[in-house]
Amino acid sequence: MAKKNLTLEEKLEDAIVKDVPYEVPENWVWSNLKSIADLVTGNTPSKNNEEFYGGKIPFIKPTDLNQGRILNSSTETLSNIGATKARILPKGSTAVCCIGATIGKVAYLNVEGATNQQINSIIPKKIYNLYVYYYTLSSYFHDTLIENSSSTTLPIINKSRMGELLIPLPPLKEQQRIVNRIENLFEKLDKAKELIEEAREGFEKRKAAITSKAFRGILNYRKGEKVNPINEGFYKLPYNWKWTKLEDICEKITDGTHNSPKSYEYGDYKYVTAKNIKEWGIDLSSITYVTKKEHIPIYKRCDVKYGDILYIKDGATTGIATINELTEEFSLLSSVALIRVGKCIDNKYLYYILNSFEIKKRILESVKGVAITRLTLKKINDIIIPLPPLEEQKEIVKILDKLLEEESKIKELTQLEDQINLIKKSILAKAFRGQLGTNCEEDESALELLKKILSRS
């Protein structure tokens, strides 16, 4: 009740930030979210009442926020009755996940809807709605959101603390110019990403067709060659091939440490986890390190050697294999398995076959329905592959090496895609510092806009 009696000057005193995080143009002001927007925490109508659900009103949850700039629908909906039990948000609101691993994920509501309690939504007051949305995509906003969340194992930020977060406020016309510039630049970058995805998809389709033929003995087929009458696997093989389990042809199959050590930006030994494993090799761009004391027992269990296969066995990227080309010792986490081949199998042949579409699909189907994708060492030992004689394996590898030369191009495309994401971050950082070249000194000061907002609150 006391806030209703505040004078405009007192409201301005509370809304204007004096200790600013960085400099902005003179006709901008720093404020906080609670002063320029209404913040709403969602809620969930009772699941015990079926009448509340199944209508046409979007009921938005964190997974729906993947739609980003244009959120038009949701996996779950509310009926008109259910909507009376929820907090309906107008079109143009920005929904921000405020809890858990996806804290900071945002989407712009292109429709009227409601959210569950894991989402705080921002409803701007006389502010250009899309300006607020793009600001929530900036690294500065995301970082300050995380910094102000509770420091528990499950990060969470409530509506009150989120309302204290800062926002640079330009004049209204400048907000529109900033959004127009961002969308123009992002459109060009998104088109580039689409071309990259098309190139990648085309390559993956060709690769699947080539490897399918390779591991049926068709690529290097010789006229008159007989088919093996013993069909103990998944399809018929040439007469001198056989289906075999990995445990029967490998010297060693194990995984890294199950006790995650503390890792550092610098240290004695590299610490390789699933995030570092790519088909093209070990990605060292985000590598961390462990101490010698931590490394010794890890390496005693899992002594990775040059030429060993490293195979992701846990998580979203399960099934990716690469060949270790590092000559020095390093520590490995349990999310990655070490596969050391025996004398009867070529390591690159195994690398190709583990990454082939058909084999990978079959392996992943064996863990379908499990909450967290995880291949046990037993399942890895039991993986069945087609095995030709060693000389024929080497011949297949040579053919695949030649046919799949584009693999290096795919690595370059992935790096280019990463660069596009960095460019987007740079654009947003400049946008909210007034550095996109759109600011006009003749625009009415944002202070006047802030006064109009506060005079009506």
Side-chain angles (χ1 to χ4, degrees):
M1 185 68 70
K3 280 195 173 182
K4 291 184 179 179
N5 297 324
L6 291 176
T7 65
L8 179 58
E9 287 71 22
E10 288 171 327
K11 291 177 181 178
L12 281 170
E13 184 70 22
D14 185 47
I16 296 174
V17 176
K18 296 177 181 63
D19 186 15
V20 300
Y22 55 80
E23 293 298 319
V24 292
E26 287 186 11
N27 57 351
W28 293 31
V29 292
W30 274 96
S31 190
N32 46 53
L33 287 179
K34 69 179 181 181
S35 296
I36 58 93
D38 291 320
L39 277 79
V40 177
T41 302
N43 68 305
T44 301
S46 175
K47 292 285 187 177
N48 296 325
N49 193 330
E50 293 181 0
E51 292 184 350
F52 290 166
Y53 294 88
K56 295 183 179 180
I57 300 165
F59 182 57
I60 300 156
K61 293 176 283 189
T63 51
D64 299 311
L65 301 182
N66 291 329
Q67 294 172 64
R69 166 65 177 80
I70 304 176
L71 191 154
N72 280 324
S73 60
S74 59
T75 52
E76 195 168 13
T77 57
L78 297 175
S79 65
N80 290 334
I81 299 173
T84 64
K85 305 296 181 182
R87 294 161 190 158
I88 299 299
L89 303 165
K91 178 180 177 179
S93 301
T94 292
V96 183
C97 182
C98 58
I99 187 171
T102 54
I103 187 170
K105 183 188 289 186
V106 301
Y108 181 78
L109 273 63
N110 205 40
V111 290
E112 188 179 79
T115 74
N116 71 2
Q117 60 275 15
Q118 294 174 294
I119 295 171
N120 288 330
S121 295
I122 306 169
I123 308 171
K125 304 173 186 175
K126 300 183 78 66
I127 303 294
Y128 195 33
N129 297 45
L130 281 168
Y131 175 84
V132 174
Y133 165 70
Y134 280 112
Y135 177 63
T136 62
L137 291 181
S138 69
S139 296
Y140 175 76
F141 177 83
H142 185 270
D143 292 346
T144 53
L145 183 80
I146 301 297
E147 287 170 10
N148 284 274
S149 65
S150 59
S151 56
T152 62
T153 52
L154 186 70
I156 182 171
I157 186 165
N158 60 31
K159 182 176 71 174
S160 298
R161 295 185 76 172
M162 189 165 150
E164 298 292 339
L165 299 185
L166 308 186
I167 180 170
L169 189 66
L172 191 58
K173 289 181 180 178
E174 172 63 2
Q175 294 174 32
Q176 293 174 319
R177 289 193 294 265
I178 287 172
V179 169
N180 290 342
R181 180 63 62 87
I182 289 172
E183 298 208 320
N184 181 265
L185 293 170
F186 276 25
E187 183 182 5
K188 293 174 182 176
L189 291 170
D190 288 339
K191 283 181 180 176
K193 285 187 77 170
E194 284 176 18
L195 292 173
I196 290 170
E197 286 301 320
E198 286 174 12
R200 184 184 285 113
E201 286 174 13
F203 172 77
E204 290 300 336
K205 286 178 182 177
R206 292 194 300 277
K207 181 180 176 182
I210 291 168
T211 54
S212 176
K213 290 179 180 179
F215 303 123
R216 281 175 162 80
I218 299 173
L219 276 188
N220 55 334
Y221 172 75
R222 286 172 286 274
K223 192 173 180 180
E225 194 169 58
K226 297 179 181 179
V227 172
N228 191 339
I230 302 172
N231 186 23
E232 296 175 343
F234 301 93
Y235 47 79
K236 291 182 179 180
L237 298 173
Y239 81 100
N240 58 345
W241 290 39
K242 65 178 180 179
W243 288 98
T244 184
K245 289 184 178 182
L246 288 191
E247 65 178 354
D248 296 329
I249 55 172
C250 292
E251 285 185 8
K252 187 171 190 175
I253 298 177
T254 187
D255 56 9
T257 179
H258 288 246
N259 300 310
S260 301
K262 189 170 181 179
S263 58
Y264 306 88
E265 189 175 353
Y266 303 99
D268 302 317
Y269 292 90
K270 290 181 177 67
Y271 179 48
V272 174
T273 67
K275 76 177 190 304
N276 303 113
I277 304 299
K278 313 294 180 185
E279 278 193 38
W280 47 263
I282 299 175
D283 182 3
L284 300 178
S285 62
S286 59
I287 200 74
T288 55
Y289 294 80
V290 295
T291 63
K292 183 177 181 180
K293 183 179 179 181
E294 294 278 11
H295 170 74
I296 290 172
I298 294 173
Y299 196 74
K300 186 176 181 181
R301 167 190 170 82
C302 186
D303 58 334
V304 187
K305 306 289 186 184
Y306 179 86
D308 285 343
I309 300 289
L310 299 178
Y311 186 57
I312 299 178
K313 57 185 277 290
D314 295 345
T317 54
T318 294
I320 291 177
T322 197
I323 297 174
N324 174 41
E325 294 184 345
L326 298 179
T327 55
E328 76 265 31
E329 292 184 14
F330 59 85
S331 288
L332 196 67
L333 185 63
S334 62
S335 56
V336 183
L338 176 161
I339 303 175
R340 186 169 298 151
V341 300
K343 293 180 180 179
C344 66
I345 183 167
D346 182 85
N347 68 339
K348 198 160 189 183
Y349 175 83
L350 182 57
Y351 155 80
Y352 272 130
I353 205 162
L354 289 175
N355 284 317
S356 68
F357 175 78
E358 286 184 313
I359 299 293
K360 187 183 289 187
K361 182 182 176 184
R362 194 183 312 132
I363 292 167
L364 293 180
E365 281 178 349
S366 70
V367 289
K368 203 171 182 180
V370 181
I372 299 175
T373 305
R374 179 170 292 144
L375 286 170
T376 62
L377 290 177
K378 184 179 187 311
K379 281 188 177 293
I380 295 172
N381 274 280
D382 288 342
I383 291 173
I384 298 173
I385 66 166
L387 187 71
L390 188 58
E391 286 306 309
E392 199 163 346
Q393 293 174 39
K394 293 181 184 296
E395 188 179 336
I396 289 170
V397 167
K398 284 181 182 178
I399 294 171
L400 290 177
D401 280 347
K402 187 173 182 180
L403 291 173
L404 300 177
E405 283 176 351
E406 290 183 52
E407 184 74 43
S408 60
K409 294 179 184 177
I410 295 301
K411 178 183 175 181
E412 290 171 12
L413 288 174
T414 301
Q415 291 172 340
L416 183 57
E417 196 169 27
D418 291 340
Q419 287 175 16
I420 288 173
N421 292 330
L422 290 174
I423 291 169
K424 281 190 171 185
K425 287 183 179 181
S426 175
I427 289 168
L428 291 172
K430 289 180 178 179
F432 301 106
R433 284 171 167 78
Q435 296 174 356
L436 283 185
T438 57
N439 195 57
C440 178
E441 293 180 1
E442 295 177 3
D443 285 344
E444 183 179 62
S445 172
L447 180 60
E448 298 306 315
L449 174 61
L450 188 57
K451 286 178 180 178
K452 290 175 185 176
I453 295 169
L454 296 175
S455 64
R456 297 192 179 187
S457 62

